[in-house]
Amino acid sequence: MSVDVKYTTEATATGGRDGHARSQDGRFDVALSTPKELGGAGGDGSNPEQLFAAGYSACFIGALKVAGQQLKVKLPDDIAVTAKVGIGPRSAGGFGITTDLTVSLPGIDRAEAQRLVDAAHEICPYSNATRGNVDVGLTLA
């Protein structure tokens, strides 16, 4: 499969889960800390799972907007997607993540909302990147 790349960005992390991450343009600049549940000290920094959750939820809203255009459905301005990301040991070894997306489409008929969510899941780059590798749950709020 080839991708016709329209945008490229990069970020550099140093120090791992207790370090720092910054985009090349400096607009994204965050301290990182390991959650206590993963054996870390906790701390004020973010962690990769939080960053993944923020990215996936924002990207999924973009995919919902594309799906709305394709299906000719006007979307409400107050769309919200909450991504819950879990991490833990895999039965096959190493670590894995899980993701559950809760989608809020106020004012849209439930059947129509489900069509939008299903279409967005096929469009979203995060969904396409995780398909077959990460368990992704989809729930309408």
Side-chain angles (χ1 to χ4, degrees):
M1 172 193 66
S2 65
V3 176
D4 180 15
V5 175
K6 301 295 185 194
Y7 170 76
T8 301
T9 189
E10 63 183 70
T12 301
T14 56
R17 286 183 168 270
D18 291 304
H20 193 90
R22 183 179 186 279
S23 63
Q24 86 282 1
D25 61 9
R27 284 189 256 168
F28 176 79
D29 194 332
V30 63
L32 302 171
S33 58
T34 303
K36 289 181 180 181
E37 296 86 347
L38 295 177
D44 294 333
S46 296
N47 61 64
E49 293 71 38
Q50 291 171 320
L51 304 177
F52 184 78
Y56 201 163
S57 57
C59 191
F60 203 84
I61 289 173
L64 284 165
K65 290 178 179 181
V66 172
Q69 290 171 345
Q70 290 177 350
L71 298 172
K72 299 184 182 352
V73 176
K74 180 165 176 18
L75 299 180
D77 291 333
D78 54 349
I79 296 170
V81 175
T82 301
K84 182 177 180 181
V85 175
I87 182 173
R90 295 177 341 134
S91 58
F95 284 80
I97 60 172
T98 61
T99 303
D100 289 296
L101 301 179
T102 302
V103 180
S104 175
L105 292 163
I108 295 189
D109 170 77
R110 193 154 186 85
E112 189 79 90
Q114 188 62 56
R115 281 184 50 220
L116 287 164
V117 167
D118 292 343
H121 193 47
E122 294 301 315
I123 294 166
C124 180
Y126 277 65
S127 292
N128 288 325
T130 58
R131 191 168 285 112
N133 298 308
V134 174
D135 289 335
V136 177
L138 298 169
T139 303
L140 278 171

